[in-house]
Amino acid sequence: MRTFTQISALRTYLRGLRLEGKEIGFVPTMGALHEGHLSLVQRAARDCDLVVLSIYVNPRQFGPNEDFEAYPRDLQRDLQMASSAGVDAVLIPTNEEMYPNGYQTVVQLPELGSLLDGTHRPGHFDGVATVVCKLLNIVQPDRAFFGQKDYQQLRVIEQMVLDLNLPCKIVMAPTVRAEDGLALSSRNSYLNDKERLAATVIHRSLCAVVELTVRGEKRPKVLEECMREILETEPLLKLQYATIATPETLQPAPEEGLERMVALVAAHVGRTRLIDNEVLVAETRFKDLS
Ligand code: AMP
């Protein structure tokens, strides 16, 4: 596995491989790798000839009172995991390389970037869209792989790639979970034992609405109420939102519901902010029987 801190060196390396006709897969991360990240690497290795992983804790997507300083960093461990998972090249750019003196450009999606997490983390998606746009331009992959875990992020990136005609296919991979259902996240390491247990209520609330939609319930009001009731049973959890949205726009789903919707939750457990989601697909089997 090759590691690069310089953008120009990675570009030279990739240029040769591209000329050989190799398909390049790209997995951007902020490091503190876990099985969720590795599942993206495995998917990229299956779909492409070559896997590039980036590790960059992007300061521009953290708010002033967020956890940029505290964000877990363990480069040696990350490099070992990346190498064992089959990554071919790792980019670890410095802040000076990414945002040199005089840097100005911001990529902003005023609609998708200002809803949900965008409301609770103002400017977050400007930071995400800008860094991912830069990374896609640096690596110029054929495909880039993102987790469903960060559903709004994925939609922001899909829309940006479409709007800016970036020649890259965006691939969504399913959320990897712990055995008790908690979505794996680098931030889970902030949770103490009690909080870790409390956090499982998030996935339980999502499972409950998946179950309800399978039985034919589509009304967002009913589904949201169901999530809220379950989430409110956990005193350590402070809910930010539990919403049923239209999967493409992330606007609230219409009153009568849709065949396909997405349930999204964001909450603090102690001081740790967690997000999760499930796509809901209405079951038509029971209607067919009547
Ligand atoms: P991060 O390092 O948190 O910025 O995440 C890097 C990539 O890994 C993003 O595309 C995330 O959506 C994805 N990811 C993070 N956690 C998971 C998970 N539990 N399952 C699948 N993908 C994940």
Side-chain angles (χ1 to χ4, degrees), residues 133-179:
C133 186
K134 282 172 66 67
L135 290 167
L136 292 178
N137 283 328
I138 291 165
V139 177
Q140 298 178 23
D142 297 280
R143 288 160 205 263
F145 298 81
F146 295 87
Q148 182 186 326
K149 152 86 182 4
D150 301 280
Y151 188 88
Q152 187 174 9
Q153 169 173 285
L154 180 99
R155 279 298 304 124
V156 162
I157 292 162
E158 281 178 337
Q159 192 65 45
M160 172 188 76
V161 162
L162 188 71
D163 290 351
L164 299 181
N165 306 91
L166 299 182
C168 171
K169 185 171 164 26
I170 301 300
V171 182
M172 175 174 99
T175 303
V176 177
R177 300 180 178 283
E179 255 176 45

Side-chain angles (χ1 to χ4, degrees), residues 165-193:
N165 306 91
L166 299 182
C168 171
K169 185 171 164 26
I170 301 300
V171 182
M172 175 174 99
T175 303
V176 177
R177 300 180 178 283
E179 255 176 45
D180 60 10
L182 181 68
L184 298 189
S185 162
S186 306
R187 289 192 169 96
N188 290 353
S189 64
Y190 300 151
L191 300 168
N192 66 29
D193 290 350

Side-chain angles (χ1 to χ4, degrees), residues 262-280:
V262 57
L264 302 123
V265 177
H268 279 98
V269 176
R271 292 170 62 89
T272 308
R273 187 173 188 277
L274 300 173
I275 56 170
D276 201 352
N277 67 83
E278 285 284 353
V279 172
L280 309 175

Side-chain angles (χ1 to χ4, degrees), residues 224-266:
E224 283 170 2
E225 190 52 36
C226 164
M227 285 199 286
R228 225 166 274 139
E229 263 177 24
I230 294 172
L231 291 162
E232 279 167 6
T233 61
E234 180 45 70
L236 292 181
L237 181 138
K238 248 182 86 193
L239 187 61
Q240 284 194 333
Y241 60 78
T243 305
I244 306 294
T246 305
E248 294 75 28
T249 61
L250 292 179
Q251 296 285 347
E255 207 179 320
E256 66 283 7
L258 298 165
E259 292 304 303
R260 229 173 140 265
M261 300 184 286
V262 57
L264 302 123
V265 177

Side-chain angles (χ1 to χ4, degrees), residues 69-125:
E69 298 294 339
Y71 198 83
R73 291 163 172 91
D74 189 344
L75 188 58
Q76 285 322 310
R77 182 173 167 275
D78 284 351
L79 292 177
Q80 267 171 16
M81 286 174 77
S83 168
S84 316
V87 170
D88 297 284
V90 184
L91 173 66
I92 314 156
T94 60
N95 289 332
E96 291 69 33
E97 273 248 271
M98 290 299 275
Y99 305 111
N101 274 342
Y103 182 90
Q104 295 190 25
T105 305
V106 175
V107 180
Q108 188 174 56
L109 290 86
E111 288 169 31
L112 271 173
S114 62
L115 299 156
L116 302 171
D117 279 359
T119 308
H120 294 277
R121 304 183 68 187
H124 169 65
F125 288 113

